[in-house]
């Protein structure tokens, strides 16, 4: 299985919010920390909010926060939510045009592999993957901006 950039960025947003909790964090700050497009990260944040993982407040004192405790956010559920509609192979989705589909013996092993991938992620919460909060926070504080200089948040 491969995690796409959208899902990768979603996990980075959640990890940042877990490390910074309970503070509100602007999408632009997260984008600058990781050297990502603010516009693209805003789309990721919108999806995370729609899925119920984060809360978003607009305005001068706005920003992003986790919608619940990091111990309650399951990594497998996040990846499933972000990859919804993105099958491992075409025949798992709406495209049923493969000529060998009726006799293909590969579908079952691939389905098992996909479930094993998610089962492994299901064993971890956001709190588990952000356990070294101080170390992660220090790395995020010293992350280079798009201009190459390091910054303090």
């Amino acid at each position: 299985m491969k995690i796409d950039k959208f899902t990768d960025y979603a996990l980075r947003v959640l990890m940042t919010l877990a490390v910074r909790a309970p503070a509100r964090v602007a999408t632009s700050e997260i984008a600058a920390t990781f050297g990502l497009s603010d516009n693209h990260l805003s789309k990721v944040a919108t999806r995370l909010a729609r899925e119920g993982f984060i809360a978003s407040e607009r305005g001068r004192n706005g920003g992003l926060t986790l919608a619940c405790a990091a111990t309650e956010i399951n990594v497998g559920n996040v990846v499933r939510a972000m990859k919804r509609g993105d099958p491992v192979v075409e025949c798992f989705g709406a495209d049923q045009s493969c000529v060998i589909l009726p006799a293909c013996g590969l579908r079952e092993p691939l389905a098992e592999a996909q479930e094993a991938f998610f089962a492994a992620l299901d064993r971890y919460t956001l709190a588990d993957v952000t356990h070294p909060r101080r170390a992660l926070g220090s790395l995020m504080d010293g992350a280079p901006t798009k201009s190459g200089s390091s910054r303090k948040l």
Side-chain angles (χ1 to χ4, degrees):
M1 287 280 307
K2 181 178 179 180
I3 292 181
D4 59 5
K5 286 183 180 181
F6 196 82
T7 305
D8 176 24
Y9 297 168
L11 292 168
R12 293 185 203 197
V13 167
L14 291 172
M15 291 178 73
T16 301
L17 297 179
V19 168
R20 301 272 186 247
R24 287 190 181 99
V25 183
T27 306
S28 59
E29 289 181 38
I30 300 170
T33 296
F34 292 105
L36 304 173
S37 159
D38 188 22
N39 185 46
H40 191 62
L41 213 58
S42 292
K43 293 175 186 176
V44 171
T46 298
R47 177 84 170 272
L48 285 168
R50 191 175 341 124
E51 294 291 339
F53 296 112
I54 67 171
S56 176
E57 289 194 36
R58 301 185 91 149
R60 187 168 184 226
N61 295 319
L64 308 174
T65 57
L66 295 177
C68 58
T71 57
E72 297 176 23
I73 298 176
N74 180 277
V75 175
N77 289 341
V78 172
V79 174
R80 279 185 190 88
M82 296 299 111
K83 292 187 68 59
R84 189 170 292 137
D86 186 18
V88 175
V89 290
E90 291 175 3
C91 62
F92 283 10
D95 184 356
Q96 302 286 308
S97 63
C98 180
V99 296
I100 67 169
L101 186 62
C104 182
L106 191 55
R107 284 176 56 103
E108 188 174 329
L110 287 174
E112 281 182 41
Q114 180 178 342
E115 188 47 42
F117 174 79
F118 286 120
L121 295 176
D122 285 340
R123 293 194 307 258
Y124 298 93
T125 67
L126 185 57
D128 294 329
V129 299
T130 57
H131 179 64
R133 282 182 66 169
R134 184 169 292 164
L136 284 171
S138 294
L139 291 168
M140 289 175 185
D141 284 346
T145 63
K146 289 182 182 180
S147 65
S149 61
S150 64
R151 57 189 237 106
K152 290 284 183 194
L153 293 177

